[in-house]
């Protein structure tokens, strides 16, 4: 009995300590944010740097891109997958790579209230790979084809086409090594841009497998060491940390040095070489416009063999404004603890695509306009008009209202702004007579119509 009592006492004490620790942590957080809150309370909160509001006027571009991409995804057999925006930080360290710019400088990472280190996703391929393992997708018919649409987060230096929150549409095919899938990823990406009316140029390379890359890296480092004094500071660090990334540095001096650097295609093993040749043959078959780019290495460590980027046609030198990118990642799923599973994918940046649509002044479909506005004069008419609006909605008409406004002039102004074809006016007189006024907004002609016949009349006039 005393033993049980002591145990209970111990448990109670431990609980008390835990509560105290929790309370102190909360107090610490409160103390930390208090000065910020006091400062922020004095001004209107601002949009964070690198973040964007997508206003109603912009939505037609988003609808256009989303609709076209979803359509292509379905045609090619990709099924939609939605993944969380927050993931364990370790997922990205192990996939994107510890020594990449994304992981080193660009992740939004923090500890949650439970002390777990989590990050806003900087990309979604890693999450797809995690989901493939977590949900045993290896038991599904392979390749598993999925696509996603959604926001990604990178603490990048904001500039045109570069944001801290941006959206991607991505395609992944997991569970098959066939080079036809690499070609298909390029084809799917090209077709999306074709559908949107944007001319693109594919930059393509093979970065081999870890085996052929090992020897190549030695050659590359030897070459760059001989020019070390002319390299930018970042590249000096890349020499030991991530030599492949030396090739795609955007500093002018480094770009000139990269011109004569050894090329990985000369070091590919037979398997990687054959794979790459086959991918190119498939692209030739479909007359895809591609450019062999020996300096294309991509900024994520999980790639093997094929890598590619989609550049706007007229803008070839501006690699930082790639519209999309992708490649094969045969080792990623195994690196995350799954069975060896080859895979390939691509993602397209929606903001950059929309910028290009605007630059090229491509006409996008306007949002559907309402055909009819229901106007009312007086309290009794307003009550009747509310029900009438619902009736018309159920009949399938595209209608608008301006119930919050009272005067007829104000309501007709709204009708003109919306560009409706007809305004239906309900006033005291119409209520007592069981009629409604139908105003043709183009000619301004008004006709009195029997309330019970208005639906039929509107259907006739609108050709429904
Ligand atoms: P990524 O090249 O890092 O690849 O990003 C793909 C696209 O996202 C870029 O080409 C660009 O259009 C857009 N993007 C990237 N960063 C920004 C930014 N800061 N602001 C605006 N747009 C941006 C990936 O993310 C890989 N997950 C692609 C992939 C899928 N590989 C295999 N499967």
């Amino acid at each position: 009995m005393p033993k049980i009592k002591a145990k209970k006492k111990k448990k109670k004490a431990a609980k008390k300590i835990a509560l105290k620790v929790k309370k102190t942590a909360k107090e610490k957080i409160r103390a930390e944010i208090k000065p910020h809150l006091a400062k922020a309370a004095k001004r209107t909160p601002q949009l964070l740097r690198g973040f964007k509001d997508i206003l109603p006027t912009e939505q037609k571009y988003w609808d256009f891109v989303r609709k076209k991409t979803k359509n292509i995804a379905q045609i090619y057999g990709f099924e939609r997958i939605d993944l969380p925006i927050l993931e364990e930080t370790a997922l990205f360290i192990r996939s994107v790579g510890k020594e990449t710019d994304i992981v080193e400088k660009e992740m939004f990472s923090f500890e949650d209230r439970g002390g777990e280190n989590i990050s806003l996703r900087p990309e979604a391929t890693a999450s797809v790979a995690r989901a493939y393992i977590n949900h045993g997708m290896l038991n599904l018919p392979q390749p598993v084809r999925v696509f996603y649409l959604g926001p990604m987060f990178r603490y990048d230096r904001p500039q045109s086409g570069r944001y801290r929150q941006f959206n991607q549409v991505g395609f992944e095919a997991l569970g098959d090594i066939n080079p036809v899938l690499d070609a298909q990823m390029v084809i799917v990406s090209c077709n999306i841009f074709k559908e949107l009316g944007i001319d693109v140029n594919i930059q393509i390379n093979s970065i081999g497998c870890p085996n052929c890359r090992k020897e190549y890296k030695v050659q590359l480092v030897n070459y760059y060491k001989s020019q070390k004094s002319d390299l930018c500071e970042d590249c000096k660090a890349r020499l030991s940390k991530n030599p492949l990334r030396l090739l795609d540095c955007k500093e002018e001096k480094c770009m000139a040095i990269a011109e004569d650097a050894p090329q990985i295609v000369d070091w590919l093993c037979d398997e990687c070489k054959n794979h790459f040749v086959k991918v190119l043959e498939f692209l030739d078959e479909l007359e895809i416009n591609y450019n062999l780019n020996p300096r294309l290495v991509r900024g994520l460590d999980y790639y093997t063999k094929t890598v590619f980027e989609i550049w706007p046609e007229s803008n070839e030198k501006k690699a930082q404004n790639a519209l999309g990118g992708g490649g094969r990642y045969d080792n990623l799923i195994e690196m995350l603890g799954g069975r060896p599973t080859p895979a390939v994918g691509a993602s397209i940046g929606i903001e950059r695509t929309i910028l290009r649509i605007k630059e090229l002044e491509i006409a996008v479909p306007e949002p559907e306009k309402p055909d009819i506005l229901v106007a009312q004069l007086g309290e009794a008419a307003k009550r009747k008009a509310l029900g009438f609006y619902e009736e018309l909605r159920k009949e399938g008409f595209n209608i608008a209202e301006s119930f919050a406004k009272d005067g007829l002039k104000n309501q007709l102004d709204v009708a003109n702004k919306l560009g409706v074809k007809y305004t239906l006016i309900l006033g005291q007189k119409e209520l007592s007579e069981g009629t409604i006024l139908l105003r043709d907004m183009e000619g301004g002609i008004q006709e009195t119509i029997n309330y019970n016949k208005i639906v039929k009349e509107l259907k006739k006039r609108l050709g429904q």
Side-chain angles (χ1 to χ4, degrees), residues 102 122-125 148 154 156 161-168 170-172 298 300 302-303 309-310 321-329 344-352:
I102 294 181
E123 62 105 51
T125 308
Y148 49 85
R154 295 183 193 174
D156 216 337
R162 195 164 284 264
Y163 309 102
R164 289 183 177 166
Q165 177 177 340
F166 59 95
N167 288 268
Q168 281 184 352
F171 302 85
E172 316 287 348
R298 311 265 302 128
L300 305 106
Y302 51 61
Y303 289 116
E309 279 187 359
I310 303 136
N321 276 337
L323 296 170
R328 184 161 271 288
Y329 49 96
V344 61
S347 309
I348 287 167
I350 302 187
E351 282 79 0
R352 287 187 194 176

Side-chain angles (χ1 to χ4, degrees), residues 70-313:
K70 276 187 194 167
N71 194 17
I72 294 265
Q74 266 158 9
I75 290 169
Y76 284 92
F78 289 87
E79 290 183 296
R80 170 103 185 209
I81 187 165
D82 286 313
L83 302 148
I85 283 165
L86 280 171
E87 295 269 9
E88 279 180 48
T89 300
L91 170 67
F92 302 112
I93 295 178
R94 287 171 64 183
S95 55
V96 173
K98 163 156 113 251
E99 259 135 26
T100 56
D101 283 354
I102 294 181
V103 166
E104 272 191 342
K105 306 180 195 160
E106 297 172 5
M107 289 230 285
F108 284 86
S109 302
F110 52 94
E111 249 182 42
D112 69 9
R113 284 166 193 270
E116 188 154 7
N117 205 306
I118 55 177
S119 294
L120 289 172
R121 62 179 184 192
E123 62 105 51
T125 308
S127 304
V128 170
R130 176 198 51 68
Y132 181 93
I133 302 168
N134 290 168
H135 300 282
M137 292 191 205
L138 83 166
N139 297 316
L140 299 174
Q142 308 290 304
V144 171
R145 291 178 212 250
V146 290
F147 83 100
Y148 49 85
L149 266 160
M152 311 291 154
F153 302 83
R154 295 183 193 174
Y155 196 86
D156 216 337
R157 198 156 49 89
Q159 50 190 284
S160 169
R162 195 164 284 264
Y163 309 102
R164 289 183 177 166
Q165 177 177 340
F166 59 95
N167 288 268
Q168 281 184 352
V169 52
F171 302 85
E172 316 287 348
L174 308 108
D176 204 309
I177 189 111
N178 201 309
V180 76
L181 292 177
D182 309 35
Q184 211 177 33
M185 281 299 162
V186 175
I187 293 163
V188 166
S189 310
C190 282
N191 282 347
I192 286 175
F193 288 106
K194 203 183 260 172
E195 283 282 308
L196 295 170
I198 300 172
D199 286 336
V200 293
N201 182 277
I202 300 297
Q203 305 288 314
I204 195 163
N205 193 18
S206 171
I207 55 166
C209 61
N211 274 345
C212 38
R213 230 179 288 160
K214 214 185 291 162
E215 187 51 34
Y216 172 67
K217 274 188 192 166
V218 174
Q219 300 299 324
L220 192 69
V221 169
N222 283 344
Y223 168 79
Y224 271 94
K225 266 190 181 158
S226 65
Q227 326 248 2
K228 193 170 175 184
S229 55
D230 291 330
L231 293 175
C232 73
E233 287 312 305
D234 275 349
C235 277
K236 280 180 187 152
R238 283 181 187 130
L239 257 176
S240 55
K241 287 202 316 197
N242 200 347
L244 276 191
R245 295 287 296 170
L246 287 160
L247 290 168
D248 75 345
C249 177
K250 304 294 174 305
E251 291 286 328
E252 231 161 82
K253 284 186 306 187
C254 304
M255 275 164 75
I257 295 171
E259 289 281 322
D260 296 324
Q263 302 191 353
I264 183 135
V265 279
D266 296 327
W267 298 87
L268 294 181
C269 63
D270 283 347
E271 195 202 317
C272 291
K273 205 184 291 169
N274 288 338
H275 187 96
F276 194 38
V277 168
K278 284 202 179 120
V279 175
L280 298 181
E281 279 172 2
F282 289 127
L283 296 181
D284 288 337
E285 187 67 32
L286 287 194
E287 295 179 10
I288 299 281
N289 179 14
Y290 66 81
N291 195 26
L292 288 175
N293 183 341
R295 284 174 291 284
L296 186 77
V297 288
R298 311 265 302 128
L300 305 106
D301 277 358
Y302 51 61
Y303 289 116
T304 47
K305 296 184 176 158
T306 320
V307 287
F308 62 91
E309 279 187 359
I310 303 136
W311 291 6
E313 183 59 274

